[in-house]
Amino acid sequence: MTSIADLRKSYERAELDESASHSDPLQQFDQWLQEAIASEVPEPNAMTVATVASNLRPSTRVVLIKGYDAQGITWYSNYESRKGQELAGNPFAALQFHWVELERVVRIEGVVERVSAEESDAYFHTRPLDSRIGAWASPQSQVIAGRSVLVANAAKYGARFLLQPPRPPHWGGYRLKPDRWEFWQGRKSRLHDRLRYTLAADGQWVRERLAP
Ligand SMILES: Cc1cc2nc3c(=O)[nH]c(=O)nc-3n(C[C@H](O)[C@H](O)[C@H](O)COP(=O)(O)O)c2cc1C
């Protein structure tokens, strides 16, 4: 049996060069995400969200990115979930994408705010019906007595709302406005490429190379 300590991989697929990367990190992210989608990596839109509770304990979970533009990176969740409660107390968060097959990681940090009710409504109504009912049926992150609670809740809300469930008031979007990005490209001999973009006081992005 292989010891996990002996599991190693040499990263040789690509490089990330100052001259060949965008000066705007959003454009660099757009390029890498589109390449991840085109490469058919599994769940290219899955990202880890890290939040910090009021007792300073960090926690992470995976969510799906639903939009990105100059305003920030958007995802949807339950505002009363653990992440929702932590973000209510501390809006700083960090995101991470790991596209394993492309030997790439993107790290993003910034402040999170809720998207507008109108924006959450618009997205909610694009979701499949079972997902819309699911948003009502799941008291996300709360202890429940068993799976039957979810099944009963789904039946209850399905019967109540039929084909037209409204957006639950406790469900909606978050948007992280980045002030720091890092793009990591695996390279040979652990001499990886790392480019960090930091938002300066004048609103310009400062790009610097970090040691791997
Ligand atoms: C691939 C993947 C995508 C997910 N997408 C979401 C999502 O978009 N929103 C969400 O609230 N939870 C999503 N989840 C579930 C979360 O990882 C997590 O279990 C849930 O949000 C509760 O986290 P919390 O208790 O830390 O708040 C996803 C899980 C996986 C594995």
Side-chain angles (χ1 to χ4, degrees):
M1 197 177 75
T2 312
S3 154
I4 55 162
D6 292 330
L7 285 177
R8 284 187 192 86
K9 180 174 184 304
S10 180
Y11 302 115
E12 304 183 6
R13 276 188 65 115
E15 47 190 76
L16 177 64
D17 191 46
E18 284 84 343
S19 63
S21 61
H22 294 278
S23 52
D24 176 358
L26 185 64
Q27 285 184 37
Q28 186 63 34
F29 175 71
D30 179 49
Q31 181 185 323
W32 274 20
L33 179 59
Q34 294 307 325
E35 288 175 7
I37 294 168
S39 306
E40 301 188 352
V41 308
E43 307 216 54
N45 51 342
M47 60 181 183
T48 297
V49 181
T51 56
V52 178
S54 54
N55 64 2
L56 304 186
R57 279 181 75 126
S59 66
T60 66
R61 75 288 295 155
V62 177
V63 303
L64 298 179
I65 185 173
K66 290 296 170 183
Y68 59 100
D69 59 20
Q71 304 309 309
I73 313 279
T74 306
W75 70 94
Y76 286 84
S77 192
N78 185 312
Y79 290 142
E80 294 169 357
S81 64
R82 179 175 178 185
K83 75 183 91 49
Q85 292 184 26
E86 294 187 358
L87 287 168
N90 174 3
F92 289 100
L95 309 176
Q96 178 166 285
F97 291 84
H98 184 191
W99 295 305
V100 176
E101 293 82 352
L102 300 181
E103 303 171 353
R104 286 176 172 168
V105 174
V106 179
R107 298 163 61 173
I108 314 168
E109 296 172 34
V111 170
V112 177
E113 57 182 26
R114 294 183 182 188
V115 309
S116 69
E118 294 72 28
E119 193 174 340
S120 289
D121 284 341
Y123 173 66
F124 184 76
H125 291 293
T126 68
R127 303 180 88 214
L129 180 62
D130 61 341
S131 302
R132 282 179 280 150
I133 293 292
W136 282 98
S138 170
Q140 193 177 56
S141 315
Q142 291 179 29
V143 175
I144 52 175
R147 205 178 158 77
S148 58
V149 173
L150 300 177
V151 176
N153 278 350
K156 177 175 87 177
Y157 289 111
R160 181 185 302 176
F161 297 126
L162 301 176
L163 297 177
Q164 302 294 339
R167 176 176 63 87
H170 57 265
W171 189 99
Y174 286 108
R175 180 175 286 118
L176 179 141
K177 188 159 181 51
D179 56 24
R180 187 176 297 190
W181 297 72
E182 181 189 323
F183 297 85
W184 184 100
Q185 176 74 61
R187 298 292 304 275
K188 259 179 91 157
S189 309
R190 298 297 182 255
L191 300 180
H192 314 301
D193 289 326
R194 299 178 66 191
L195 294 184
R196 183 183 68 187
Y197 296 72
T198 315
L199 190 60
D202 63 0
Q204 300 293 309
W205 289 101
V206 176
R207 184 178 54 195
E208 295 163 303
R209 177 172 287 264
L210 302 181

